[in-house]
Amino acid sequence: MKIIDVDVAVVGAGPGGCMLSYLLARSGVRTALLERHNCLDREFRGYFFQPSVVKLFDQIGALEDIPHQHVPKFTFVDHGKTLFEVRFDELEPPYNYGLTIPQPPLLEFFIGQAARYSNFTYFGGTAVTDLIEEDGAVHGLIAKNHEGEELEMRCRLVAGADGRHSTIRKLAGLGQTMGKFELDFVWFDMPQVPGKDYPLQIQIEDEGMLNYIPKGEDQVQVGWVIPKKTYPELVKKGIEDFVRTLIAVEPDLQNVLPRHLKSFKQCSVLDIQVGMTDTWVKDGLLLLGDAAHIASPFSGQGNSLAIQDAVVAHDTVMKALESGGYGIVPAELLKRYELYRKPAVAEIQSMQAMQARLIAMKSPGLLRLRRMLAPVMRRTLLFHQMRNKIALGVQRVDVNTSYFIR
């Protein structure tokens, strides 16, 4: 078995894990990033990042180097009429737009930037199989690469950024409190309809609800909302029936969908879950992103929350490493990160739940009331406060660049 010694082992090469690895590597910390997949272009990944991330990418000098598309607003359309808009372009410049970013090049960018530092190593195709624990504290991990070779990684801190089904969280025995969510999303990519622009938008009709996320100049990511656990029934009816349903909601899809969407193999099902890990830290271990908290897809928060987690975790870890000693990082020094981030994430989850209830209304009376009140709400101070929290985050988060190697 190969034995490796680092300061921090980050598990999971998603946005949060890659960002944290890059920040630590740039700060001179001996960092390893482990990703169980060989390829970064895999199952469904969200493409949208809030304006809060624009600021953070700018603070590290990476904004212009990351391929992205500006998003000025997020629109809710109800039966052909704009119910309301979340206008990012009304925010104070220069961080007055969101981003759509293809995740594979984004992750590759951060891994490549981190690899410029000799204190960083990337282990692709390497799955964690166990944690090394002594007296209830985490001292490292055991992993196996795609060739079957095992490695033992000793470290001062394991950072679990390995998603909603986090292996690190399970191995550490950390529990979750899960909320109820009665919807799932079916996602697929399609070419842009000729002559039609698809902004970041939710479109509600009698037949159902469509979500659009621009994906470059010639593609759009489309989401269809279904009752939870009903995807097998959708598949049983056949892809032609699914295409007809979508065209009934948006007739313009007739121009592209029948010849593009030929199989459910082109679709991904997002099992919508909302949850909060009971404790995010223990001696020698820290969780971030979906491993620590699962957000619903409403208002596109998942990627942005993970990036914010990484930035706060970076500052917390650097302060802990500065405090002296050579052993594992104790939970008492990591707790500052959890105490700062957890209430902010909980507030975002609460706002998402309210948005979901507003959008999923079925009663004709409530629907009429929604159409009457939504345009009025758009002009209130409460709406603008909520927009600012959605776009910029609930709390101030800034990259502590003072740790960067000059």
Side-chain angles (χ1 to χ4, degrees):
M1 181 183 294
K2 187 176 181 180
I3 299 177
I4 299 171
D5 183 53
V6 296
D7 292 317
V8 180
V10 181
V11 182
C18 286
M19 181 70 161
L20 177 58
S21 298
Y22 164 73
L23 294 174
L24 291 172
R26 192 171 173 182
S27 302
V29 176
R30 293 180 305 152
T31 306
L33 173 60
L34 295 84
E35 167 56 48
R36 66 187 180 92
H37 292 90
N38 285 310
C39 177
L40 295 172
D41 188 6
R42 50 187 190 277
E43 70 271 10
F44 168 79
R45 285 184 175 277
Y47 275 59
F48 180 66
F49 293 78
Q50 296 286 347
S52 58
V53 175
V54 179
K55 181 189 73 170
L56 298 175
F57 284 171
D58 190 36
Q59 288 178 345
I60 61 175
L63 185 58
E64 297 308 316
D65 296 321
I66 297 171
H68 63 267
Q69 184 178 358
H70 287 209
V71 179
K73 61 182 179 180
F74 189 6
T75 305
F76 293 79
V77 176
D78 185 355
H79 292 78
K81 294 184 178 180
T82 299
L83 187 63
F84 62 86
E85 292 178 322
V86 176
R87 297 202 65 101
F88 305 130
D89 53 9
E90 292 178 350
L91 299 169
E92 185 177 347
Y95 309 123
N96 58 343
Y97 58 91
L99 302 172
T100 54
I101 308 175
Q103 279 211 28
L106 173 68
L107 306 180
E108 290 165 4
F109 170 80
F110 278 117
I111 292 171
Q113 290 297 303
R116 295 167 57 196
Y117 301 95
S118 60
N119 49 294
F120 172 81
T121 309
Y122 176 63
F123 295 86
T126 303
V128 175
T129 58
D130 206 354
L131 293 176
I132 301 170
E133 293 195 70
E134 299 170 9
D135 299 323
V138 176
H139 289 255
L141 55 84
I142 305 295
K144 182 182 291 186
N145 65 22
H146 63 280
E147 296 175 345
E149 180 186 17
E150 279 199 333
L151 64 87
E152 177 181 318
M153 188 171 290
R154 291 276 174 169
C155 56
R156 300 185 64 185
L157 177 70
V158 172
D162 51 339
R164 61 172 60 190
H165 304 297
S166 172
T167 297
I168 301 302
R169 183 185 64 236
K170 293 171 185 174
L171 290 173
L174 300 178
Q176 276 184 309
T177 301
M178 300 298 294
K180 290 184 178 180
F181 215 96
E182 300 304 321
L183 303 173
D184 287 335
F185 275 66
V186 180
W187 290 97
F188 59 89
D189 293 342
M190 74 171 193
Q192 288 272 16
V193 175
K196 186 175 179 68
D197 176 44
Y198 282 100
L200 189 65
Q201 177 178 290
I202 288 179
Q203 179 180 349
I204 306 167
E205 303 292 345
D206 289 338
E207 296 82 0
M209 181 166 62
L210 277 169
N211 295 258
Y212 303 100
I213 300 176
K215 191 177 179 182
E217 296 181 357
D218 57 357
Q219 275 201 322
V220 61
Q221 196 172 55
V222 181
W224 175 249
V225 180
I226 60 173
K228 185 165 283 296
K229 306 301 182 184
T230 61
Y231 185 64
E233 299 173 24
L234 191 70
V235 173
K236 189 174 181 180
K237 291 179 182 178
I239 195 67
E240 293 83 4
D241 183 81
F242 183 44
V243 169
R244 283 193 295 269
T245 300
L246 299 180
I247 292 172
V249 174
E250 176 50 83
D252 284 345
L253 295 179
Q254 175 68 51
N255 298 325
V256 66
L257 213 53
R259 64 175 181 270
H260 172 72
L261 193 57
K262 296 292 188 179
S263 168
F264 280 106
K265 292 180 180 178
Q266 296 169 254
C267 301
S268 298
V269 183
L270 178 61
D271 177 11
I272 299 179
Q273 300 175 356
V274 179
M276 185 75 76
T277 301
D278 301 334
T279 301
W280 295 11
V281 302
K282 62 186 293 186
D283 290 338
L285 184 135
L286 171 151
L287 299 178
L288 67 151
D290 282 0
H293 49 77
I294 306 171
S296 88
F298 284 95
S299 74
Q301 291 291 326
N303 290 330
S304 304
L305 291 174
I307 293 289
Q308 291 171 46
D309 285 354
V311 169
V312 177
H314 163 251
D315 184 60
T316 301
V317 171
M318 293 307 299
K319 284 182 168 61
L321 295 178
E322 268 191 336
S323 67
Y326 296 95
I328 61 167
V329 180
E332 61 183 321
L333 297 182
L334 298 172
K335 201 68 179 177
R336 168 182 168 271
Y337 153 76
E338 179 180 344
L339 292 174
Y340 191 65
R341 289 296 296 152
K342 201 170 191 177
V345 173
E347 187 170 347
I348 290 292
Q349 288 178 331
S350 178
M351 286 192 289
Q352 288 184 308
M354 184 181 66
Q355 292 167 348
R357 289 193 295 271
L358 177 67
I359 292 170
M361 286 178 177
K362 295 294 184 182
S363 164
L366 290 176
L367 289 174
R368 285 193 296 271
L369 184 63
R370 180 179 70 184
R371 290 168 193 154
M372 290 172 53
L373 294 181
V376 177
M377 282 291 295
R378 168 74 176 81
R379 297 189 291 270
T380 65
L381 177 61
L382 178 63
F383 180 89
H384 285 83
Q385 289 174 337
M386 184 175 295
R387 177 206 60 194
N388 291 351
K389 289 181 178 181
I390 289 171
L392 302 175
V394 171
Q395 59 193 181
R396 187 173 182 87
V397 174
D398 292 285
V399 178
N400 190 341
T401 59
S402 67
Y403 290 112
F404 289 174
I405 300 170
R406 302 300 176 186

